[in-house]
Amino acid sequence: MAYSPADCCQLAGKTLSRSSTTCSLAALIGTNLPHLKRIWSKNKTERRKYEGIHNNAASKSTKRRYKQYGSLAVIVGSAGYYATLNKSQRRSLFAKIEAFGRFLRAVNTGMLISFDYYFSMLGLKEGCANYEIGMSRIHQRAANRILNGCLLNGGLYIKMGQGLVALNHILPKEYLDTLQQLHDKCLTRSEDEVIDLFAEDFGKSPTDIFEEFDMKPIAAASLAQVYRAKTKDGLDVAVKVQYIDLQKRFNTDISTIEFLLKLIKIMHPAFNFTWILRDMKDTLKQELDFINEGKNAERCAKELAHLNYLYVPKIVWNKCSSRVLTTEYIEGTHVNNMQRLKELGYSLADIDRKLFRIFGEQIFHTGFIHADPHPGNVLVRKDKNKKIQIVLLDHGLYNYLPSVHRIALCNFWNAIVLNDHGNMKKYAYQLGVEDYTIFAEILTQRPLATEIVFHRKLSNEEVQYMIKMAQERFDNIIKALRNMPRSMLLVIRNLNTVRSIVRTHGDPINRFTSLARIASHGKFDSSGMTLLKKLTSCKQRTYFELRLWYSNFRIWFMKIMLRILQMLGRLPDITAITRQIA
């Protein structure tokens, strides 16, 4: 294509124009380049920020979806796994979940009690006017928390709480009065659980085994529920059915309680009760075997057959297993139901004498000792001759006292009455106890020394000294109990439980005298003796009775003097203390 000169000039002009424009633009950019760089950098940062926010939102949304899908997968997988389990496996799974819940509840209760004691006692000083009131309130709060924790956790926790009640020579009154409810208040279980347990142990339902079976329990204990039933041959029976998950949760519950006691020991060194649990482990295993309980009941009935005022319900062996115990059903009134006992015209003194004779025979003569004679396990009724009869239930926990220890214990008690400190020390050593004075006071629940100051009012220094000595006495009691043979601990538990029953009756008999005579009965038995030995035995028995009378007179005189000193303002109110003295 050919261009004319005019076209060439025009084209050249445009090119020059563009070139000048480009040059001007380049000059402009060059001049403002730093500013443009800042704008570009800022825009780039904002773009990245925007892209980052957009990407984060997308990432979070994706993560949420993954979590939702993951949760759904876990739920579906768990439901599928649960659907494949049988009833026993499902119970085992729930037991593990519930064990964690019991652990958290127990730890929470223990920490609340510990912190309450620590912070509430900061402003309290022993000997001040508000000390007793303040401590009583703290004790009551702690006892209420323990009670609620035991009832909610059930099983071994209730058993542990019942064991604490037996330590009435150590624990404050608030604990004893509150935890006493654990003998009557226990959790009940569903009917399905009973049916499942029978299916596991017998391969049949309760209605297949019995002619009649009332699915509503007539009693609920710490380890089992009791139902009323009738056998095919028409015998009325009581069927004790263990809680189905109890044996499986034994180890975890024991470990939790042990952990709590160790924690309390760290926070409050003076309150070290870990030794109690160590002694309870084997006894609790005994109680979980109902076949063993049936054998214990039959042995008790055989060894005490000469006491016609004692009755032990017969065992129906063909309807028993390790978790089910069937005995004949007995009507009676619980020994602590004073109102009903009085309405029936029963003599409380007669009941108490027979109680001490029954358990005294076991401790001092047979050596095969019922270790859990709380009021729920003792019924009172009239026999066919219209005389008072004691019915002894729940033979799951027994202790065997070897002959060498049993004889030493009888001699130790005899030495207490005769005030023979040499023999007290000798026989206490044979029983594995170092501090014989503390041991004597724990056994008899009365002081060996009864010196009283009459001439003046106690000074503040003397009051503080008495408080210090009382604390040291408490520490010595704990030490003595911790070092005692396990067999002795269960003897003390038995004695203290029976004595607490007698106290609720108003102490119609002398506890110390009753036990002292039972303990020394074999020593003065003159059957089969020659005339000379009979005369010697009669002389010893007369001296023993005189010393026993003097010991009782001394305690009576001490109580009278303490009341007089209290009336004169030389002593604080110690009614609660003197009532504990046998």
Side-chain angles (χ1 to χ4, degrees):
M1 181 178 177
Y3 289 98
S4 65
D7 291 334
C8 290
C9 289
Q10 186 179 2
L11 182 62
K14 288 181 178 179
T15 302
L16 289 171
S17 177
R18 284 174 186 158
S19 177
S20 63
T21 303
T22 302
C23 291
S24 301
L25 181 61
L28 180 64
I29 290 172
T31 305
N32 295 282
L33 184 60
H35 181 64
L36 291 173
K37 284 183 177 179
R38 285 195 298 271
I39 294 173
W40 174 257
S41 177
K42 183 177 180 181
N43 290 339
K44 188 177 181 180
T45 302
E46 289 179 352
R47 279 201 310 275
R48 286 179 178 174
K49 185 177 180 181
Y50 172 77
E51 290 171 357
I53 292 172
H54 179 73
N55 291 337
N56 286 340
S59 176
K60 287 182 178 179
S61 177
T62 303
K63 288 180 179 178
R64 276 198 301 270
R65 283 199 298 272
Y66 284 156
K67 287 181 179 179
Q68 290 172 353
Y69 293 150
S71 300
L72 183 62
V74 170
I75 293 171
V76 172
S78 300
Y81 171 72
Y82 182 77
T84 63
L85 300 177
N86 58 36
K87 280 188 175 181
S88 178
Q89 291 171 328
R90 290 177 184 178
R91 278 198 305 273
S92 180
L93 178 63
F94 275 117
K96 292 175 182 177
I97 297 171
E98 290 173 348
F100 183 67
R102 291 194 301 274
F103 172 78
L104 292 179
R105 188 182 295 118
V107 170
N108 179 61
T109 301
M111 295 302 292
L112 284 175
I113 292 172
S114 294
F115 285 129
D116 190 9
Y117 270 101
Y118 180 78
F119 289 107
S120 298
M121 290 177 65
L122 289 178
L124 289 177
K125 293 183 179 179
E126 292 187 28
C128 68
N130 296 325
Y131 180 78
E132 293 297 332
I133 297 173
M135 288 303 301
S136 178
R137 290 173 179 172
I138 299 171
H139 291 329
Q140 190 60 59
R141 288 197 299 269
N144 290 338
R145 285 172 175 147
I146 293 175
L147 175 65
N148 293 332
C150 289
L151 290 174
L152 289 173
N153 281 353
L156 302 184
Y157 289 88
I158 291 178
K159 207 69 188 175
M160 188 70 182
Q162 291 175 349
L164 291 176
V165 177
L167 299 175
N168 56 6
H169 47 288
I170 297 177
L171 294 180
K173 179 178 180 295
E174 292 79 7
Y175 280 80
L176 303 177
D177 292 343
T178 303
L179 297 182
Q180 190 72 35
Q181 300 175 52
L182 290 174
H183 292 309
D184 304 313
K185 287 185 178 180
C186 294
L187 300 179
T188 57
R189 301 293 186 94
S190 66
E191 294 182 6
D192 291 340
E193 180 178 306
V194 178
I195 295 171
D196 290 343
L197 188 143
F198 268 81
E200 290 179 9
D201 284 19
F202 299 101
K204 299 178 181 179
S205 70
T207 52
D208 292 332
I209 297 174
F210 298 95
E211 183 69 27
E212 298 176 7
F213 191 94
D214 187 353
M215 296 301 295
K216 184 178 180 181
I218 57 175
S222 56
L223 306 180
Q225 292 182 139
V226 182
Y227 300 84
R228 189 167 182 178
K230 181 176 287 188
T231 62
K232 300 288 185 180
D233 54 3
L235 177 66
D236 285 329
V237 293
V239 185
K240 184 178 178 180
V241 183
Q242 191 176 117
Y243 298 130
I244 199 167
D245 60 341
L246 206 55
Q247 294 187 11
K248 292 179 180 178
R249 58 184 271 190
F250 178 84
N251 290 327
T252 55
D253 284 355
I254 284 289
S255 298
T256 300
I257 296 171
E258 196 166 26
F259 169 77
L260 283 175
L261 290 175
K262 288 179 179 178
L263 188 65
I264 292 171
K265 177 186 174 182
I266 293 171
M267 299 184 70
H268 307 281
F271 295 88
N272 177 17
F273 293 107
T274 53
W275 55 276
I276 296 177
L277 185 63
R278 287 197 301 269
D279 291 310
M280 287 184 68
K281 283 183 181 178
D282 292 336
T283 60
L284 286 170
K285 287 180 180 177
Q286 285 183 41
E287 289 193 85
L288 293 176
D289 183 3
F290 285 179
I291 296 296
N292 180 67
E293 179 174 345
K295 292 178 180 178
N296 288 343
E298 289 190 336
R299 180 174 173 179
C300 171
K302 181 179 179 181
E303 291 184 343
L304 301 181
H306 60 286
L307 302 179
N308 55 12
Y309 46 79
L310 170 67
Y311 190 81
V312 178
K314 294 180 175 61
I315 310 297
V316 184
W317 282 112
N318 63 347
K319 293 174 176 57
C320 294
S321 72
S322 63
R323 297 188 294 178
V324 177
L325 181 69
T326 304
T327 68
E328 62 175 315
Y329 179 79
I330 302 295
E331 292 277 6
T333 303
H334 284 294
V335 72
N336 61 341
N337 189 348
M338 285 183 58
Q339 182 177 351
R340 181 59 180 160
L341 292 175
K342 289 179 178 178
E343 289 174 357
L344 294 171
Y346 292 170
S347 167
L348 297 180
D350 188 23
I351 293 171
D352 293 343
R353 272 192 295 268
K354 289 175 177 177
L355 275 178
F356 271 118
R357 182 63 191 277
I358 290 167
F359 294 112
E361 280 285 320
Q362 289 188 328
I363 293 171
F364 301 113
H365 299 290
T366 70
F368 190 60
I369 306 165
H370 193 302
D372 195 19
H374 67 76
N377 292 336
V378 183
L379 300 179
V380 183
R381 69 172 186 174
K382 289 285 184 71
D383 62 13
K384 59 184 179 181
N385 297 319
K386 303 300 181 182
K387 293 183 178 180
I388 290 177
Q389 188 177 63
I390 306 296
V391 180
L392 195 55
L393 309 174
D394 195 351
H395 300 264
L397 181 57
Y398 265 74
N399 174 51
Y400 180 69
L401 192 63
S403 294
V404 61
H405 287 165
R406 181 174 52 80
I407 294 170
L409 185 62
C410 290
N411 287 326
F412 182 80
W413 204 286
N414 187 66
I416 292 173
V417 175
L418 300 179
N419 199 31
D420 185 345
H421 286 258
N423 274 332
M424 276 190 264
K425 185 175 182 179
K426 172 186 173 182
Y427 293 117
Y429 181 78
Q430 290 182 13
L431 293 167
V433 180
E434 294 181 5
D435 193 334
Y436 73 90
T437 57
I438 289 288
F439 183 46
E441 291 178 359
I442 291 173
L443 272 181
T444 63
Q445 291 195 348
R446 59 164 58 186
L448 283 181
T450 54
E451 295 180 5
I452 306 174
V453 178
F454 297 100
H455 62 282
R456 58 184 171 79
K457 185 175 180 178
L458 294 175
S459 67
N460 289 333
E461 290 77 12
E462 287 172 323
V463 171
Q464 292 300 321
Y465 175 76
M466 289 176 66
I467 292 171
K468 180 182 177 182
M469 292 301 294
Q471 180 60 47
E472 289 179 0
R473 202 69 169 169
F474 173 82
D475 294 339
N476 290 336
I477 289 174
I478 294 293
K479 181 181 177 182
L481 289 172
R482 189 165 54 240
N483 294 332
M484 276 182 200
R486 177 179 159 275
S487 56
M488 284 293 101
L489 286 174
L490 289 178
V491 166
I492 291 170
R493 174 178 174 173
N494 178 292
L495 288 174
N496 288 343
T497 305
V498 176
R499 278 188 287 228
S500 68
I501 293 173
V502 175
R503 274 199 297 271
T504 62
H505 290 174
D507 286 318
I509 64 171
N510 188 304
R511 291 173 271 147
F512 176 79
T513 300
S514 297
L515 285 171
R517 284 176 176 155
I518 295 168
S520 301
H521 174 72
K523 189 176 181 66
F524 302 119
D525 186 5
S526 59
S527 56
M529 291 184 179
T530 62
L531 178 60
L532 181 60
K533 287 185 176 180
K534 284 183 179 180
L535 291 173
T536 303
S537 176
C538 181
K539 177 184 175 183
Q540 291 175 343
R541 183 62 180 262
T542 302
Y543 179 64
F544 175 85
E545 288 293 335
L546 286 172
R547 288 293 312 181
L548 189 59
W549 176 87
Y550 172 73
S551 178
N552 288 327
F553 174 78
R554 185 187 62 177
I555 293 296
W556 172 83
F557 184 72
M558 182 194 73
K559 289 181 178 181
I560 294 296
M561 291 299 102
L562 289 174
R563 289 195 187 102
I564 293 173
L565 290 173
Q566 180 184 325
M567 291 172 61
L568 295 175
R570 294 183 179 179
L571 279 179
D573 187 0
I574 54 172
T575 306
I577 298 174
T578 56
R579 192 170 179 270
Q580 300 292 322
I581 300 174

